Amino acid sequence: MKLYPIHTGNFKLDGGAMFGVVPKSIWQRTNPADASNMCSWSMRCLLIEEGNRLILIDTGMGDKQSDKFFGYYYLFGDESLDGELAKLGFHRDDITDVFLTHLHFDHCGGSIKWDNKKEFLLPAFKNAKFWSNDKHWKWATEPNAREKASFLKENILPIQESGQLNMINREEGRGSFDDLFDVRFMDGHTESQMLPIINYKGKKIVFMADLLPSTGHIPLPYVMGYDTRPLLTISEKKTFLDEAANNEYILFLEHDFENECCTLQQTEKGVRLKDKGRLIDFFGS
């Protein structure tokens, strides 16, 4: 098995929204804001090469939305999904599976593209199976008022219409993906968000999605204003971050602008950051 971080670009979101009730005077120490109170965030995906399969976890925001839409999120940087794949010698048509942690636009927008005439929306990975789960799919396609702006039908429905949609089974908060990695389900941020847990070179790597957007979110009260059930997020974070610290998991960070990965440790103040850096830094090659 080989793992490749895939950077699909960067964007900006309001720091207050990203840290909820935590005051700016505290969160800006780790995530400095610009004059408009906007912080920089990555849209970092993960590519797994295993035998003849190429599995892409999340797809970033994509490029099919209107200029007005992108104007809200201040996209910047030179990275793109196609460019990152090309550096590795791959093409999007080589992707066999697209695993979507959840269906908010910054995680799944790159799954769908316009045809050449901009008349029809099509899966951006024509040879891939797309993976979600029943509970989250229903949640996303029948959205509540709070999340409606994040669940965009143009990102979601074409996957089903193409016949490429598949579902992960959930049992007591856990599941698996074709025996390639385990899946943990989290319900605080959104219903049935999925976290892949990958065994790699004798260690466990966890794709943290929006349970832990950045190292700045490690303390338990640091919960995004976007979460639908913030108290549940705190409970899920405590349980999982304790597990991660005690078992030396490597946490792969989708949105941290500076750091691909981190590890955790137990302290007198609770779980805190131990080491941070690139994925390669934790394996030496």
Side-chain angles (χ1 to χ4, degrees):
M1 178 184 286
K2 296 180 180 179
L3 301 183
Y4 309 98
I6 301 291
H7 298 261
T8 67
N10 309 294
F11 69 130
K12 293 190 176 186
L13 289 173
D14 183 88
M18 285 298 288
F19 286 95
V21 300
V22 179
K24 180 180 179 181
S25 59
I26 298 176
W27 59 251
Q28 70 176 351
R29 299 171 189 169
T30 57
N31 295 77
D34 64 18
S36 300
N37 210 51
M38 306 293 279
C39 298
S40 296
W41 307 98
S42 173
M43 289 178 286
R44 186 178 293 114
C45 307
L46 185 64
L47 183 66
I48 303 172
E49 182 181 12
E50 175 65 8
N52 61 357
R53 297 180 74 173
L54 279 176
I55 303 147
L56 181 64
I57 301 176
D58 282 355
T59 63
M61 198 178 296
D63 59 6
K64 67 181 176 303
Q65 305 297 143
S66 67
D67 290 341
K68 180 179 179 180
F69 176 88
F70 288 124
Y72 296 136
Y73 300 105
Y74 306 93
L75 271 66
F76 67 98
D78 297 325
E79 299 95 345
S80 69
L81 193 152
D82 285 327
E84 294 287 289
L85 289 176
K87 290 178 185 177
L88 299 170
F90 299 128
H91 186 272
R92 63 174 60 225
D93 293 350
D94 299 324
I95 303 298
T96 61
D97 301 89
V98 175
F99 184 97
L100 299 170
T101 61
H102 60 297
L103 296 167
H104 288 165
F105 65 82
D106 55 316
H107 295 257
C108 75
S111 300
I112 301 299
K113 66 176 185 178
W114 287 107
D115 69 348
N116 291 335
K117 296 182 179 180
K118 278 201 167 185
E119 294 177 345
F120 303 103
L121 291 168
L122 304 169
F125 306 91
K126 66 180 184 180
N127 297 316
K129 294 180 178 179
F130 289 79
W131 297 89
S132 184
N133 66 81
D134 286 330
K135 283 189 175 181
H136 184 66
W137 188 265
K138 180 177 174 60
W139 186 268
T141 55
E142 301 174 14
N144 59 75
R146 184 182 178 91
E147 290 181 278
K148 189 174 183 179
S150 294
F151 290 131
L152 307 180
K153 63 180 184 298
E154 60 266 31
N155 288 335
I156 300 172
L157 297 183
I159 300 174
Q160 186 176 48
E161 293 164 356
S162 72
Q164 294 170 242
L165 178 62
N166 297 265
M167 297 297 180
I168 300 289
N169 292 324
R170 172 176 180 167
E171 295 182 8
E172 297 182 355
R174 297 170 185 257
S176 65
F177 177 76
D178 285 359
D179 296 325
L180 292 176
F181 53 79
D182 294 329
V183 178
R184 199 73 59 87
F185 291 82
M186 301 290 169
D187 300 309
H189 177 60
T190 189
E191 177 71 25
S192 293
Q193 176 183 208
M194 300 190 291
L195 306 187
I197 304 177
I198 305 157
N199 290 312
Y200 183 63
K201 296 185 177 182
K203 299 181 181 180
K204 288 187 184 294
I205 297 175
V206 187
F207 190 95
M208 293 305 294
D210 280 343
L211 180 66
L212 188 71
S214 74
T215 57
H217 288 84
I218 292 171
L220 293 182
Y222 291 46
V223 172
M224 292 189 291
Y226 300 110
D227 286 20
T228 59
R229 306 176 181 111
L231 292 179
L232 180 55
T233 294
I234 290 174
S235 175
E236 290 174 337
K237 275 179 64 178
K238 179 173 184 0
T239 298
F240 194 82
L241 297 190
D242 279 341
E243 178 183 335
N246 294 338
N247 292 282
E248 300 182 337
Y249 293 170
I250 297 169
L251 307 184
F252 187 90
L253 303 168
E254 188 160 10
H255 289 313
D256 193 305
F257 184 64
E258 299 289 344
N259 306 294
E260 285 182 357
C261 298
C262 72
T263 56
L264 306 176
Q265 60 186 334
Q266 298 284 359
T267 74
E268 293 180 355
K269 295 183 178 180
V271 172
R272 290 294 185 268
L273 179 68
K274 183 179 181 183
D275 296 312
K276 59 184 179 179
R278 299 173 303 162
L279 182 63
I280 195 173
D281 295 334
F282 291 90
F283 294 95
S285 63

